[in-house]
Structures are given as structure tokens and as C-alpha cells.
């Protein structure tokens, strides 16, 4: 066996295949070690050179991937002769005729190569077979006009099968590793969304709701840049029309558009509110609900007019939908013109689903708060009707009696009627003062625990049933900056103010309590309010089963929306203890439950 690729005997052939197999099995990512593999094949088979064409993981198009010891005529211009045109081995591959190693005696690439070919005239083409098909072609050559004999071709076919199987295994490993990394990034984005601050209190108005949703979009964009390692992320929101909401760039990202959030993280001011063109990538993803992955290709660049980067190398446009309802779109941009990993589409769809869930959760929180405020307004209206209206009606009757007494010339009855009228007027005035106090302007963005104690004390002072020392309000907690001066968000302040106010009012008006004690504390990284009274008490389970504890349900729901809880301990004739707790650091809204009866 004197031709190229000659080996002496079956034993040597088995040794060659064994060494090739051992090298392939020692590499998890075979494609990253192809140069080493080709060098070993050339050395063991006593060849001059080898080069490799591989198809993409999803597709049949071949491209030169690796080479070893190419002559100058083939290596010129970064392997330019190997990158252009078709040749006989390509035709056999695309026609499905390349089933085993064959001699190629008319190679257009060798014939047309200009320069030093180092004596190469012919080459052999070897199919790289895997279990799912042929992955590519291995070409090998030696100087001279001698052809590879049948034994050498048989050995090359076996080596090609080893290499094809190893490549298939390697691609599966790389695909799963990429998928794991992508979904690890998705998990990081999901955690960032869950850890974000809640929407600001008072977000019932349309503009506040829009700001809250834009805040969610901004956190998402920042987290995506950090977790995915991309250069820019833009988020646009809308159901009837699509408008930019937020964007983020990598630190020091060059070449961004003027006014973009370069090196600053996301900014809600960056073109926020600008309507997105329907033919842009964002607009198309939003309108048709289809994910688009691409790389720089002339005519498509104009569709990126709403992106952050001037000329991105690759991008992904992701629809954001809640069921069939479109709520937004995401544009992810990279400078590098590299293809997206195979698992990218699945991971990007998951990112879109996470953002949709966060946006819908934010909308539901805003809606729940607005409904809670409406319920409070309805309760205030009922109190106006039940208390003030009744007092005023009684006052009109007393004044009518006084008028009759004055007409009848009965000074005694007149004085009595005027005295009763004064009492009724004072009672109505006290009730109005209390209600006006409850309707005072909401707290600012930040208040302290001491402010909450003062607000509850002021509420008690104006309550018509609170006299003398019947109600006590005090702050309990560590005497350091995290004590009474601990700052509360608007939501935390408003939630605990509402719970404390309602608990005190219920104790005085409905339970007939002689003494009510309100305590504020800071256990377990949160704010706790305890309201204990010596009133009539009630059966907690009975209230829930008969559906009469509507006010208690509202208190529990407000605590759950702030990530906390409400617990009750009460028995008929033995008073009531209501305990509410909310975290000082934001936690996701807790699932709503009716206020439970505390043990002990």
C-alpha cells in the first residue's frame, strides 16, 4: 500500500482509529478542538494537509470550519479559495451521493487556486456521518498524482464516522450547556423582577400606573443586559399602540444613539413615550406576536430605527403577550454579528413570558389598591350616612321642637330643646372632624415609624368615642436609627395606618372597649402593629363562615398586597388582639388569605 494515506496492516489501521477515537472522546466540545483533530489525522495517515467543511446545526449549507497545513494557494485571503463557489465534493454532499470516502480527481478549487499548491493535484473527500445524517466533509490530500487506494479510503470512511459521531455528541453537549446558561440568565432576570420595589402608592391614576409599568420595564431591561451579556435592551409597552418605556445598555457601550442611556443603566427619560413605528422590529414583533432573530444584513438595518445601537451586528425582537392580548415587545441588540445559540429562541420566549407576568402582576396590584381605596370611600360614605346624617336629622327635629316652644311661649321647653340641639350639633361636629381627618392627604413618598405613631395618636384624639386614657399609642423597638426613625415607603405607611385606624375604630364603636392599646414594633425585618382591646370580642371562625367580616378581609388583603399578613385572636367576652406585619424590604405580594386566628 504505497499511495497517500497508506498504512501497513490491519493492526496499524486499528491503532490509528483508536488514537483518533481517544482524542475525540477526551474533548467535550469537539468543534473547539478541530485543529488538533486534523493535525492528528494528517500525522497518523502520513498526509500533507486536511480541511473540513461543516453544515450549520439546523441546515445543510456547508462552510469551511477548520484546516491544517494548507498550501499558500488555498490559505490565501483567510482561506478564500475554500469559501467561494461549488465543487464536486459539495455536489455529491448536497445530492446525497457522498456515502463513503472517494477520490476527487477533478477539484475545481485546486484547479482554480493561484499560487503555490505544494504539489497537490487530487484529494479524497470523506463524509462525516452521525446518527441523524451527514454533518460535513473532511478533505485530505498529499502531493503527487497517486490516488487513495481502497484500504486507505476504507480507513478514512471509518475515521469520518468516528469524527461525525463525536461532532454530533459535541453539538448536543454544547447545545445543552448553552441552554443551561441561557435559562440561568432567565432565572436571574426573573429574580430581579421579583425583587423590585412595589408600585408607588397612589398608582390608581393612569399616569402613575404608566410610571409603575415603566419601572418594571426598566428593571427588566437592566437585568437582561447584565444576565445575557448583551449590549442594549429596549422595552416598548402598549395594547392599542406601542410606545417606548425603558432601555438599558452595557457599561461603557460605545456607538449608542444620542441621548441613549450610555454607561448609565436604564433611564425612563430616554425617548420614553415615543410611538414605535409599525414596520420596526419592535412593531412587527408586537403586532404579529412572532419572535425574530437576525444579524446585520443591509436592508433590514432600517427596521432598527427605534433601537439603542446605531448599527447592531445581531438582534432579537421578542413579543410580550398575556394570552392572546399583546402588551409589549422587547428588542435585544449586540454589536457582534454572531448567530444566536440554538436554545436562544426558547429562552427569549421565556423572558417575554416573565416580563408579561411581571407587568400583569403590577397591573393587578394597582387595580387591587384602587379597589381597596374605592371600598374605603364607600365605607366613609356609609359612616356619613349612619353617623353624621343621623345626628343632623336629630338636630333638625330638635330645632323644630324649639321653634314650636318659642311660638307657644314656653321658655322651659325652649331651653331644653336648645340644649339638646347643642349636644347634637357637637356630636355631628366631632364625627365630621374624625371623618375629615381620615380623608386627609396621603403621606409623602417616605415617612417614619414615629410619623405613623403620631398619625394614629392624632386619629385617636379626634375620635368621638376616645376619651381620656382609653386609647394608648406607643412605639416599641430598638433605640437606634432603625427604631422610630425607620423610614417607610408610602405603601407601607398607608397599609399600617389603615389597619391601625380600622382596628381602633372597630374596638371603640363595635366592641364597646373600655381600653385599647396600640403598639408598634420592628421584629423580623418588618414593621408590626398590635391593637389589643378589652371589648366584647367575637368568634373569628364564625365571622368568616357567615361572611360578616368584610372590613377584616379588606385589612388582610391590604397586608397581603404589601407582602405581609394579618392575624386575629379573639373570643366572645374576652377582647380582641389584631396583629399586622409588613416587610420593610419589599417582598412579592403574598397570596391573599382571610385573617387567621392566632394560636395561644
Amino acid at each position: 500500500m504505497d499511495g497517500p494515506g497508506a498504512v501497513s496492516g490491519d493492526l496499524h489501521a486499528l491503532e490509528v482509529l483508536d488514537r483518533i477515537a481517544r482524542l475525540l472522546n477526551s474533548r467535550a466540545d469537539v468543534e473547539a478542538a478541530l485543529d488538533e483533530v486534523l493535525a492528528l489525522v494528517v500525522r497518523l495517515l502520513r498526509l500533507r494537509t486536511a480541511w473540513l467543511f461543516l453544515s450549520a446545526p439546523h441546515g445543510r449549507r456547508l462552510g469551511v470550519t477548520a484546516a491544517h497545513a494548507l498550501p499558500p494557494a488555498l490559505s490565501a485571503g483567510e482561506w478564500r479559495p475554500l469559501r467561494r463557489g461549488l465543487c464536486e465534493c459539495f455536489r455529491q454532499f448536497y445530492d446525497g451521493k457522498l456515502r463513503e470516502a472517494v477520490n476527487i480527481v477533478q477539484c475545481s478549487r485546486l484547479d482554480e487556486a493561484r499560487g503555490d499548491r505544494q504539489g497537490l493535484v487530487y484529494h479524497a473527500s470523506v463524509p462525516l456521518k452521525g446518527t441523524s445524517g451527514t454533518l460535513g466533509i473532511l478533505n485530505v490530500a498529499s502531493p503527487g498524482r497517486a490516488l487513495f487506494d481502497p484500504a486507505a479510503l476504507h480507513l478514512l470512511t471509518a475515521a469520518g464516522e468516528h469524527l461525525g459521531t463525536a461532532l454530533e455528541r459535541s453539538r448536543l453537549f454544547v447545545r445543552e450547556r448553552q441552554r443551561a446558561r441561557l435559562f440561568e440568565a432567565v432565572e436571574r432576570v426573573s429574580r430581579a423582577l421579583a425583587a423590585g420595589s412595589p408600585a408607588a402608592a397612589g398608582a390608581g391614576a393612569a399616569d402613575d400606573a404608566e410610571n409603575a409599568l415603566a419601572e418594571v420595564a426598566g428593571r427588566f431591561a437592566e437585568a437582561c443586559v447584565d444576565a445575557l451579556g448583551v449590549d442594549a435592551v429596549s422595552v416598548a409597552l402598549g395594547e392599542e399602540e406601542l410606545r417606548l418605556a425603558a432601555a438599558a445598555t452595557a457599561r461603557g457601550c460605545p456607538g449608542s444613539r444620542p441621548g441613549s442611556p450610555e454607561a448609565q443603566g436604564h433611564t425612563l427619560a430616554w425617548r420614553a413615550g415615543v410611538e414605535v413605528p409599525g414596520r420596526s422590529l419592535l412593531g412587527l414583533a408586537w403586532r404579529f406576536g412572532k419572535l425574530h432573530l437576525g444579524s446585520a444584513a443591509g436592508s433590514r438595518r432600517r427596521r432598527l430605527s427605534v433601537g439603542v445601537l446605531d448599527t447592531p451586528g445581531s438582534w432579537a425582537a421578542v413579543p410580550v403577550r398575556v394570552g392572546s392580548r399583546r402588551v409589549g415587545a422587547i428588542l435585544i441588540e449586540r454589536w457582534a454579528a454572531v448567530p444566536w445559540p440554538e436554545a436562544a429562541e426558547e429562552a427569549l420566549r421565556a423572558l417575554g413570558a416573565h416580563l408579561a407576568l411581571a407587568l400583569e402582576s403590577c397591573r393587578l396590584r394597582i387595580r387591587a389598591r384602587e379597589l381597596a381605596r374605592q371600598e374605603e370611600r364607600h365605607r366613609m360614605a356609609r359612616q356619613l350616612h349612619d353617623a353624621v346624617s343621623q345626628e343632623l336629622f336629630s338636630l333638625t327635629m330638635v330645632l323644630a321642637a324649639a321653634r314650636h316652644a318659642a311660638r307657644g311661649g314656653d321658655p322651659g321647653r325652649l331651653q331644653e330643646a336648645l340644649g339638646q340641639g347643642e349636644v347634637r350639633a357637637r356630636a355631628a361636629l366631632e364625627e365630621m372632624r374624625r371623618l375629615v381627618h381620615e380623608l386627609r392627604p396621603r403621606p409623602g413618598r417616605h415617612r417614619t415609624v414615629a410619623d405613623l405613631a403620631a398619625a394614629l395618636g392624632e386619629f385617636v384624639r379626634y375620635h368621638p368615642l376616645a376619651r381620656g386614657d382609653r386609647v394608648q399609642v406607643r412605639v416599641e423597638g430598638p433605640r437606634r436609627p432603625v427604631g422610630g426613625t425607620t423610614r417607610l415607603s408610602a405603601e407601607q405607611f398607608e397599609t399600617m395606618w389603615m389597619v391601625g385606624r380600622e382596628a381602633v375604630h372597630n374596638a371603640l364603636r363595635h366592641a364597646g372597649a373600655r381600653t385599647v392599646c396600640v403598639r408598634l414594633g420592628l421584629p423580623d425585618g418588618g414593621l408590626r402593629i398590635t391593637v389589643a382591646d378589652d371589648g366584647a370580642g367575637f368568634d373569628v371562625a364564625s365571622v368568616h363562615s357567615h361572611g360578616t367580616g368584610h372590613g377584616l378581609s379588606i385589612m388582610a388583603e391590604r397586608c397581603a398586597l404589601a407582602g405581609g399578613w394579618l392575624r386575629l385572636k379573639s373570643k366572645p367576652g374576652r377582647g380582641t388582639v389584631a396583629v399586622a406585619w409588613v416587610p420593610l424590604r419589599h417582598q412579592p405580594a403574598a397570596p391573599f388569605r382571610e385573617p387567621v386566628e392566632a394560636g395561644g
Side-chain angles (χ1 to χ4, degrees), residues 206-293:
D207 56 343
D208 291 329
E210 187 174 314
N211 288 339
L213 294 174
E215 182 186 354
V216 172
R219 288 202 312 271
F220 174 84
E222 270 195 324
C224 281
V225 167
D226 180 57
L228 297 175
V230 296
D231 294 298
V233 175
S234 307
V235 179
L237 302 177
E239 295 187 25
E240 300 300 326
E241 60 181 15
L242 190 65
R243 294 185 178 274
L244 286 171
T249 63
R251 294 289 176 182
C253 177
S256 303
R257 295 181 184 279
S260 64
E262 181 175 345
Q264 298 297 324
H266 87 271
T267 170
L268 301 182
W270 178 76
R271 304 178 67 195
V274 172
E275 187 172 356
V276 175
R279 295 186 63 81
S280 66
L281 285 172
L282 275 172
L284 292 172
W286 173 74
R287 186 166 49 167
F288 297 109
K290 294 183 179 179
L291 183 143
H292 176 75
L293 302 177

Side-chain angles (χ1 to χ4, degrees), residues 350-363:
L351 280 176
H354 278 289
L355 178 58
L357 182 62
L359 292 170
E360 192 66 8
S361 176
C362 182
R363 285 191 179 94

